[in-house]
Amino acid sequence: MRFLTLLLITTSLMSCSHKLLANSSLNPVIGKNTMTTKTGALIKSISLMAREERSLPSGLKPTRDRDIGFATVFVELENTQETDTKVMIQSIQIRNVITGAIQLESQKTQAIHLHPLEISANQFQLTNKSGYSRFGKVKAVITYQIDNQKSTIESAPVEVEQH
């Protein structure tokens, strides 16, 4: 019963977020990727939405500390085992696909505890004050650890939406 409730809640959240994104005036660009680990934890998908807001919203005065570059990284995890497992997200980087330059970065370690047979939808927000480089697509690169196994997964490249 608990698993079904979590599955329904997770499915509803994912459905709502996709509906919000679909109905949004931002028209986000999303890239997906999937990876399975040897420990039974499955990274079902990683998606990236990237945008840059160089234009100042009306009514606001220009400031140097205004965020310009924004990225939302969606990560869906599944524990295929019948035991608890923990996924440690060690870093999330948004990189230029052409140059490999890091555009946004979070090095704050995040622990995600997965119960047996649980699916977990996670969202990470990154911002910067300089925006993105003017050429090329970007991708999310996540470094994570499950047990003592450290791995990296990348999203599909996406165009940065400009505003």
Side-chain angles (χ1 to χ4, degrees):
M1 179 67 176
R2 183 170 182 262
F3 172 73
L4 279 175
T5 303
L6 286 172
L7 180 60
L8 290 173
I9 290 170
T10 302
T11 304
S12 295
L13 287 173
M14 292 298 286
S15 175
C16 288
S17 66
H18 289 297
K19 285 179 186 173
L20 285 172
L21 291 174
N23 294 328
S24 165
S25 62
L26 296 177
N27 298 322
V29 179
I30 298 175
K32 281 192 163 192
N33 200 354
T34 304
M35 179 177 185
T36 307
T37 65
K38 294 177 184 174
T39 61
L42 170 74
I43 297 183
K44 290 188 68 149
S45 68
I46 173 175
S47 305
L48 171 62
M49 185 172 60
R51 74 181 195 284
E52 184 175 67
E53 296 182 359
R54 294 257 178 212
S55 301
L56 189 65
S58 62
L60 291 181
K61 294 181 181 181
T63 61
R64 289 182 189 218
D65 62 345
R66 181 174 75 88
D67 288 328
I68 295 173
F70 300 89
T72 304
V73 180
F74 300 96
V75 180
E76 187 177 352
L77 304 167
E78 179 179 6
N79 183 4
T80 59
Q81 299 178 11
E82 294 188 14
T83 58
D84 287 355
T85 192
K86 181 168 62 171
V87 178
M88 300 296 291
I89 305 288
Q90 296 177 329
S91 71
I92 301 173
Q93 298 176 334
I94 308 303
R95 293 185 186 169
N96 182 289
V97 174
I98 295 170
T99 65
I102 297 171
Q103 306 286 302
L104 294 100
E105 183 173 28
S106 171
Q107 297 234 350
K108 179 181 166 190
T109 300
Q110 305 260 345
I112 301 171
H113 298 275
L114 297 171
H115 298 288
L117 308 174
E118 179 181 14
I119 296 173
S120 174
N122 302 272
Q123 176 180 325
F124 302 94
Q125 303 286 330
L126 290 84
T127 62
N128 72 14
K129 299 187 184 327
S130 59
Y132 293 91
S133 64
R134 292 287 181 202
F135 58 93
K137 296 180 177 185
V138 295
K139 63 183 176 182
V141 179
I142 297 178
T143 303
Y144 65 96
Q145 184 172 335
I146 301 174
D147 296 327
N148 291 326
Q149 186 179 14
K150 190 174 182 178
S151 300
T152 302
I153 185 170
E154 298 179 356
S155 72
V158 300
E159 292 286 341
V160 176
E161 185 173 321
Q162 302 289 324
H163 290 276

